[in-house]
Amino acid sequence: MGDPTRDLEQWIPRLIAVWRRHRKAGKPQRGGGRNAPRARFEEEELPEGNLTKDELREIGAGVKQLSMGLTRNRELAGAHYMDDPKLLGAYLLFYWPVSYAQARSTLSELPNRPRAVLDLGSGPGPLAFAALDAGATSVVAADRSKPALELARALATEAGEGMATREWSPEKPLPEGKFDLITMGHVVNELYNGAIEPRAELLERVLERVNPHGSLVVIEPALKDTSRALLKVRNVLVDKGYAVRAPCLFRGPCPALQKDSDWCHAERSWRMPRLIEDIAHAASLHKESLKMSYLVLAPRGEAWPEPPTGAVFRIVSEPLEGKGRTRFMGCGPEGRIGLAMQEKHENEKNRLFFKVTRGDVIRITDTEDRGDGRALTDQSSLEILANAGKPVVRT
Ligand SMILES: C[S@@+](CC[C@H](N)C(=O)[O-])C[C@H]1O[C@@H](n2cnc3c(N)ncnc32)[C@H](O)[C@@H]1O
């Protein structure tokens, strides 16, 4: 398995090449068809790994429209935006790399390396290709958008990979077969007008196609509403006896849903490709860290992973800095509570407290109960059992 950052860098020229070819094919040609000598000359003149100013402007406008429609007013959620060449192009060059990186980070948490993979709501296949790069041997990408699947196939050809595609939408039967991994990236939030029960029913049907010890990975935008909706779907499935492999260590109803103002999401640092930086700038967007909400679910009948012994928590907030102390929210087998430490208590055994980040899994000892949480003192120790995006060492 390659390094995700390097793998993603290799995808950038492929994404650009495929986009340029499809854009040209969709435009009326001046002075001859797409193989006319002049057209080929122009293609050779274009920079391989980045966009020209005009291209950036075009993609930036599409990304602005997608960002507004998918994350602000949500008018595009559930709409056929992948069938609009301008928006599909913007998705391919901006959101594809983001989804790919999110997927690689999530797949690195799986207990087993999946071989047979199905990517539902694949669009042009960022999760499908992430699975291939993470060691999958056969991948099926399924979506209702023909143009998006066509791009997935073009990318596979460009990369010299094999990829099967299927037209699919939730009212149709799932593609044939059983899989070690099924992924659903940023699609569940676009289904059933926000209704929770039919989403949970769909995930149950999907889980029937997951092989024993395999996983269903659902990735969603880190927005408050889409994250809370995912947690509600999680609760329905957990209530029916399904186990969550990650990120939850708490086996009851998600405690982040107790207050209307709370939600839970993940955040990963990443080396943003230059292309994304340039497009974000052109679209006046900020995209520094990778934020997402995700769930890794086990098929029916599998038990929850045994939690490590002791007082174990996943960090589920950023550091909340106060006067001389730092506080995080932690969520573990005993629930979601505040964890705090004063700087004056810092020593060899506990100083990692000031270094932990959202997603890390920690074990702490010798804490004191404080209000609705725990305080680490100079007697306390802290151990990191897993960095964000890595499997938890169960000891
Ligand atoms: C935001 S894109 C996600 C693409 C890709 N999975 C990713 O993570 O970047 C959502 C995808 O869901 C697909 N989609 C939305 N509603 C759908 C439906 N009812 N049936 C099938 N696909 C659907 C869209 O065509 C689109 O490709």
Side-chain angles (χ1 to χ4, degrees):
M1 198 187 332
D3 167 62
T5 304
R6 258 203 313 271
D7 288 347
L8 177 54
E9 285 298 341
Q10 292 192 352
W11 277 105
I12 301 295
R14 295 175 194 149
L15 297 172
I16 294 176
V18 165
W19 172 68
R20 282 184 179 143
R21 221 169 291 139
H22 277 247
R23 174 169 169 261
K24 189 171 281 178
K27 275 188 181 170
Q29 302 290 312
R30 272 177 300 151
R34 65 194 265 209
N35 294 324
R38 181 165 165 68
R40 209 179 305 128
F41 172 74
E42 279 171 1
E43 190 167 317
E44 278 162 16
E45 289 291 288
L46 295 169
E48 236 196 39
N50 49 41
L51 299 177
T52 64
K53 273 193 184 148
D54 284 348
E55 290 174 331
L56 256 183
R57 207 169 303 127
E58 182 180 331
I59 292 294
V63 167
K64 226 176 188 166
Q65 202 178 329
L66 278 176
S67 165
M68 183 62 78
L70 292 177
T71 65
R72 303 259 189 103
N73 59 30
R74 303 272 300 147
E75 270 169 11
L76 287 178
H80 287 256
Y81 54 89
M82 289 289 186
D83 297 345
D84 173 336
K86 179 181 155 203
L87 298 183
L88 177 56
Y91 199 92
L92 184 71
L93 295 189
F94 187 73
Y95 290 101
W96 193 106
V98 173
S99 297
Y100 175 95
Q102 292 172 338
R104 286 299 294 268
S105 142
T106 311
L107 299 185
S108 67
E109 242 177 290
L110 296 180
N112 308 309
R113 184 189 294 188
R115 298 293 176 189
V117 178
L118 170 64
D119 182 21
L120 290 173
S122 64
L127 274 69
F129 288 106
L132 273 178
D133 289 349
T137 47
S138 82
V139 179
V140 180
D143 200 284
R144 71 175 173 191
S145 165
K146 285 184 194 168
L149 293 177
E150 196 185 323
L151 282 193
R153 288 191 296 272
L155 286 171
T157 305
E158 189 73 20
E161 303 266 16
M163 165 121 4
T165 57
R166 301 277 183 278
E167 271 177 56
W168 169 83
S169 54
E171 66 282 1
K172 293 190 184 152
L174 287 162
E176 298 263 294
K178 283 256 208 172
F179 303 89
D180 305 320
L181 169 69
I182 301 183
T183 52
M184 299 181 81
H186 301 278
V187 58
V188 174
N189 72 92
E190 298 201 11
L191 305 177
Y192 305 113
N193 282 322
I196 301 302
E197 284 294 334
R199 289 180 181 177
E201 279 164 24
L202 172 65
L203 297 199
E204 270 204 278
R205 264 184 282 135
V206 171
L207 277 160
E208 282 170 18
R209 299 302 199 82
V210 175
N211 284 326
H213 312 297
S215 300
L216 165 61
V217 166
V218 183
I219 298 179
E220 289 280 82
L223 305 169
K224 179 181 168 191
D225 287 352
T226 52
S227 301
R228 285 180 65 86
L230 179 63
L231 298 176
K232 288 177 190 168
V233 172
R234 168 210 179 272
N235 280 358
V236 174
L237 294 170
V238 166
D239 198 42
K240 289 186 171 180
Y242 289 93
V244 180
R245 297 199 194 285
C248 310
L249 297 166
F250 185 63
R251 301 180 185 195
C254 176
L257 289 179
Q258 276 168 10
K259 274 200 231 153
D260 286 347
S261 55
D262 280 347
W263 77 100
C264 186
H265 71 270
E267 186 167 0
R268 307 277 189 259
S269 58
W270 71 318
R271 184 135 40 89
M272 189 191 298
R274 176 69 196 277
L275 176 72
I276 304 299
E277 247 178 76
D278 290 347
I279 298 175
H281 184 72
S284 318
L285 295 178
H286 295 285
K287 201 133 206 71
E288 275 141 27
S289 61
L290 278 181
K291 289 190 182 156
M292 62 180 166
S293 291
Y294 75 104
L295 269 186
V296 183
L297 292 158
R300 182 178 278 287
E302 285 194 29
W304 282 72
E306 245 348 275
T309 53
V312 171
F313 297 92
R314 187 180 291 277
I315 302 295
V316 293
S317 73
E318 63 225 49
L320 311 158
E321 309 284 353
K323 235 188 184 171
R325 72 159 202 172
T326 296
R327 191 165 178 268
F328 290 95
M329 291 309 292
C331 192
E334 57 191 286
R336 190 175 196 261
I337 64 173
L339 305 170
M341 188 166 108
Q342 294 189 355
E343 282 163 15
K344 66 179 183 193
H345 292 315
E346 179 178 343
N347 61 33
E348 283 286 297
K349 290 189 302 179
N350 62 26
R351 69 167 42 114
L352 282 176
F353 188 78
F354 298 106
K355 294 256 171 11
V356 297
T357 56
R358 193 193 284 267
D360 290 349
V361 177
I362 61 169
R363 174 158 50 205
I364 48 181
T365 69
D366 302 288
T367 54
E368 288 177 2
D369 290 344
R370 283 291 153 74
D372 60 354
R374 303 269 172 79
L376 284 83
T377 68
D378 52 8
Q379 297 303 305
S380 309
S381 71
L382 182 148
E383 188 186 349
I384 297 183
L385 298 180
N387 287 118
K390 295 284 172 256
V392 180
V393 180
R394 317 230 165 227
T395 53

